[in-house]
């Protein structure tokens, strides 16, 4: 319980810190998650594809897409293969802010890890890799 409790604490603390980084950029975690899916895909996606890849509920995805659209960060375009549906693509504004946001989050995480000795970072990396592998194995997942 001590180990998993510490992992839960770290996950919450790190996420809260990165959420603060996002807030300074005017984004929420949900905004960033959807933009990440869109930018990584390199193409316009359907709302269903975004839902599946972001692990957000369909109504949640719809709500977030509407907000991102009103913020000028995504566009809806008619789906050429299904004239009733639409695709979502990031705007140039989203593409311009995305990389600096990712870099800000990475800087934040590097700052946290920078408080550890290099040998401790290596040891932690190896221990977490082994633990993740054990958890995946217990769930029947592959690495």
């Amino acid at each position: 319980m001590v180990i998993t409790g510490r992992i839960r604490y770290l996950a919450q603390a790190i996420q809260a810190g990165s959420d603060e980084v996002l807030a300074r950029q005017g984004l929420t975690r949900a905004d960033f998650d959807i933009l990440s899916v869109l930018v990584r895909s390199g193409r316009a996606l359907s709302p269903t594809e975004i839902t599946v890849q972001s692990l957000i509920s369909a109504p949640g995805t719809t709500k977030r897409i509407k907000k991102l659209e009103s913020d000028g960060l995504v566009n809806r375009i008619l789906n050429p293969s299904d004239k009733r549906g639409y695709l979502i693509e990031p705007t140039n504004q989203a593409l311009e802010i995305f990389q600096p946001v990712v870099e800000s989050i990475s800087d934040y995480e590097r700052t946290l890890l920078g408080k550890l000795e290099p040998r401790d970072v290596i040891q932690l990396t190896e221990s977490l890799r082994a633990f993740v592998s054990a958890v995946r194995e217990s769930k029947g997942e592959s690495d």
Side-chain angles (χ1 to χ4, degrees):
M1 287 174 65
V2 172
I3 292 171
T4 55
R6 288 180 178 162
I7 290 171
R8 278 192 295 277
Y9 168 79
L10 288 171
Q12 291 172 351
I14 292 167
Q15 179 147 348
S18 65
D19 286 350
E20 289 175 19
V21 171
L22 291 171
R24 286 194 294 272
Q25 304 293 330
L27 297 172
T28 65
R29 170 69 48 189
D31 297 338
F32 182 72
D33 289 346
I34 289 178
L35 290 176
S36 293
V37 167
L38 289 168
V39 172
R40 281 193 321 266
S41 77
R43 64 180 178 87
L45 299 174
S46 71
T48 301
E49 290 173 305
I50 295 170
T51 296
V52 169
Q53 291 184 37
S54 65
L55 304 175
I56 299 171
S57 69
T61 299
T62 299
K63 176 183 173 185
R64 288 173 176 102
I65 289 170
K66 286 180 181 177
K67 180 189 177 297
L68 289 168
E69 186 177 31
S70 72
D71 291 346
L73 297 174
V74 300
N75 289 322
R76 293 176 194 245
I77 56 174
L78 192 61
N79 186 338
S81 63
D82 175 5
K83 301 293 185 203
R84 295 170 297 153
Y86 58 92
L87 300 174
I88 307 301
E89 65 180 2
T91 62
N92 287 336
Q93 178 184 351
L95 295 173
E96 289 171 8
I97 68 168
F98 184 77
Q99 193 57 39
V101 168
V102 170
E103 290 170 9
S104 294
I105 291 172
S106 294
D107 290 345
Y108 163 71
E109 293 170 355
R110 269 192 298 280
T111 299
L112 295 176
L113 290 171
K115 297 177 186 297
L116 300 175
E117 293 294 326
R119 70 178 183 281
D120 293 334
V121 172
I122 292 168
Q123 183 180 12
L124 179 60
T125 300
E126 291 170 358
S127 296
L128 288 173
R129 184 180 301 119
F131 189 46
V132 167
S133 181
V135 170
R136 285 183 173 157
E137 184 180 310
S138 74
K139 293 174 67 179
E141 298 174 359
S142 59
D143 279 334

